[in-house]
Amino acid sequence: MHSQHLPHLPASFWEQSPQLTAIRQAAFARITSPDAVLACVLCRVAASFPPTFTLPNKTSLNYIVALVGDSGHGKSVAFRTARQLLPDIGLTVAELNIGSGQGIASTYSSPTSDENITSQPVTSALFCVPEGEQLLKLGKASESITLSTIRSAWSGETLGTANASKERRRHVPADSYRFAMAVGFQPSFAAELLTGVNAGDPQRFLFSGVTSPNQPDIVPTFPKQFAPLWEQTLTGEASLNVHSEITREIENYRIKKQRLEVPVDPLDSHRHLLQLKTAGQLALLHNDDVTLQWWNAAALMVDVSRGVRDRLAELAVLDRRQRNAERTAEQIESETVKESSRELRSLESMIHSIVQKCRVERVPVSRSDLHNATASKHRAVVDFDSALATAIERGQLIPAPDKQKHYYTPIGTRN
């Protein structure tokens, strides 16, 4: 896939608050994409709050982002920049890599010696996967539950497998854990993720490009670090306040969807929930409720995410066409080489048969007899007269006076 800038947030987006301005400044200070740093910051925000802190109706704030860019274009830099800007997220377990579906569950739950009853020492974890290729490979493995576990974790559903051995069984109850994950993808692998549309993988990701056309020539200084957000966390169960207009908008859409009155793009089946989760993270970053401001800001982020996703799909189609064209060209070239080799073998075999016929007879041989001396399978590939003319040009035969018969000459011949 060709390198180019993916859709990104406009300059006006970053001017809404000091926090957003600082995120853009931090990104420019580390020469990386503000969009990517913001996505990583929101993952860290999500991980800062316990699972008891939710959106209305106990909707989980668990969150996943995908950073998309060619190798060496700043995915890891975006991870580090977000960490430097918001270093303290109050976790004993942070920035883990993904091992497997069972590994995700075991992060939150470990077996005890008492009849396989599990304890849950960790309730919140942040997973960072610099290269999404690893994630896709895990997902393709036989009997892998990695991607299905990630889908369940995004929604806060129960984790673990009942068919595991007793000593390996893990069980993490629904809504009892916080899951945040940032994944770095090269464009080709991000496009491959889109093939999981029916399983619901890409609908749960907020996509962000890792390059920015607005990087200034003069690199700014790094801004002041953010204060820990988790210190503001309320004890016990609590939910973010969501503006009534937002709630009504989501309800109206769900009603129309239930009535089949609106078309639903499979890639957008979780759009409102992704937007609400994003608005929730923005609200928490600003120690605020989910206001119309953050709802609209999240809508813009989701629109940009869709633009990145759609551009990846376009690039995937172009890349697939190019690879198909290259394969076709290679096949044609291979067939041409094979055909040329076949013609050469037939030509040499016919000449050998013609010369041998003349050598055996040692008298002028008629054209028809020479013709019959060659194999029909070779005459189907090479014209007989062409083989005869080539033998004459090489000096292996000389024409007889009547031009219908030919002598075999032993001087300078090739058998």
Side-chain angles (χ1 to χ4, degrees):
M1 291 188 181
H2 300 292
S3 299
Q4 57 184 290
H5 291 297
L6 295 168
H8 55 277
L9 293 164
S12 58
F13 175 89
W14 306 101
E15 299 166 359
Q16 297 182 75
S17 72
Q19 290 92 329
L20 294 176
T21 300
I23 289 172
R24 180 176 60 174
Q25 181 179 338
F28 287 160
R30 296 294 181 260
I31 314 181
T32 189
S33 162
D35 293 38
V37 174
L38 173 59
C40 292
V41 166
L42 294 190
C43 271
R44 298 183 73 80
V45 169
S48 296
F49 290 82
T52 51
F53 204 79
T54 67
L55 292 162
N57 300 323
K58 294 189 177 181
T59 301
S60 174
L61 279 162
N62 292 355
Y63 202 61
I64 305 174
V65 301
L67 310 185
V68 183
D70 293 324
S71 180
H73 278 192
K75 296 183 288 292
S76 297
V77 176
F79 290 144
R80 292 196 300 269
T81 303
R83 185 192 313 130
Q84 292 168 352
L85 193 59
L86 182 59
D88 189 353
I89 55 178
L91 298 186
T92 56
V93 177
E95 299 190 41
L96 300 170
N97 209 328
I98 293 290
S100 65
Q102 295 90 335
I104 294 172
S106 65
T107 300
Y108 303 99
S109 176
S110 59
T112 68
S113 59
D114 184 13
E115 294 298 319
N116 205 48
I117 296 174
T118 60
S119 60
Q120 189 170 320
V122 174
T123 58
S124 184
L126 171 62
F127 296 86
C128 290
V129 186
E131 292 299 335
E133 179 184 6
Q134 172 198 0
L135 187 64
L136 294 174
K137 286 181 178 179
L138 287 171
K140 292 177 180 178
S142 176
E143 299 182 359
S144 171
I145 62 170
T146 301
L147 294 179
S148 63
T149 298
I150 290 172
R151 291 193 292 270
S152 296
W154 186 78
S155 301
E157 298 171 2
T158 300
L159 302 182
T161 54
N163 59 352
S165 61
K166 288 185 177 181
E167 60 274 10
R168 297 182 62 188
R169 190 173 301 159
R170 301 290 185 268
H171 178 75
V172 185
D175 303 319
S176 67
Y177 60 94
R178 171 72 69 240
F179 173 86
M181 183 176 74
V183 186
F185 282 107
Q186 293 186 38
S188 58
F189 294 120
E192 187 176 341
L193 178 69
L194 298 179
T195 62
V197 55
N198 294 325
D201 295 320
Q203 299 94 312
R204 292 166 168 80
F205 284 74
L206 182 82
F207 290 88
S208 173
V210 297
T211 60
S212 172
N214 300 319
Q215 174 69 42
D217 293 330
I218 300 176
V219 177
T221 58
F222 199 88
K224 182 180 178 180
Q225 292 179 345
F226 291 161
L229 300 174
W230 61 273
E231 293 180 347
Q232 307 166 14
T233 302
L234 301 175
T235 58
E237 292 189 5
S239 64
L240 277 166
N241 294 320
V242 177
H243 195 282
S244 59
E245 288 188 28
I246 298 172
T247 302
R248 187 57 187 163
E249 179 181 335
I250 294 174
E251 288 177 348
N252 286 341
Y253 176 79
R254 292 184 62 191
I255 290 170
K256 291 180 180 180
K257 182 179 177 182
Q258 180 68 16
R259 293 173 179 168
L260 301 180
E261 294 176 354
V262 292
V264 179
D265 184 341
L267 284 171
D268 288 328
S269 58
H270 293 303
R271 177 192 168 93
H272 279 95
L273 183 51
L274 176 60
Q275 184 177 338
L276 185 59
K277 284 174 177 269
T278 302
Q281 314 302 349
L282 287 170
L284 291 173
L285 175 64
H286 293 85
N287 192 26
D288 197 0
D289 296 330
V290 182
T291 63
L292 290 174
Q293 178 187 5
W294 304 128
W295 175 249
N296 292 331
L300 182 55
M301 290 181 67
V302 171
D303 281 342
V304 170
S305 172
R306 292 174 68 200
V308 172
R309 184 198 70 198
D310 293 346
R311 183 59 184 151
L312 288 171
E314 293 172 5
L315 291 173
V317 170
L318 294 174
D319 189 57
R320 186 161 55 249
R321 288 176 179 172
Q322 181 178 348
R323 283 187 277 112
N324 288 340
E326 290 173 352
R327 277 197 298 269
T328 300
E330 289 174 357
Q331 290 172 354
I332 292 174
E333 182 178 359
S334 176
E335 290 300 321
T336 301
V337 171
K338 289 180 180 178
E339 185 63 24
S340 297
S341 178
R342 182 184 175 204
E343 290 178 359
L344 181 60
R345 289 196 302 271
S346 294
L347 174 66
E348 294 299 334
S349 178
M350 291 173 70
I351 291 175
H352 179 77
S353 298
I354 291 170
V355 172
Q356 284 296 100
K357 178 67 174 175
C358 288
R359 170 184 286 177
V360 171
E361 297 293 336
R362 292 194 175 274
V363 294
V365 182
S366 68
R367 179 185 178 284
S368 61
D369 287 342
L370 293 179
H371 179 278
N372 293 335
T374 60
S376 60
K377 65 178 182 179
H378 295 313
R379 295 198 301 273
V381 177
V382 175
D383 179 68
F384 170 77
D385 288 327
S386 295
L388 191 60
T390 302
I392 294 172
E393 289 174 3
R394 292 179 178 179
Q396 295 176 269
L397 295 178
I398 57 174
D402 61 5
K403 299 183 180 180
Q404 295 299 315
K405 296 182 180 181
H406 298 82
Y407 289 113
Y408 163 73
T409 174
I411 302 174
T413 62
R414 290 186 299 172
N415 294 335

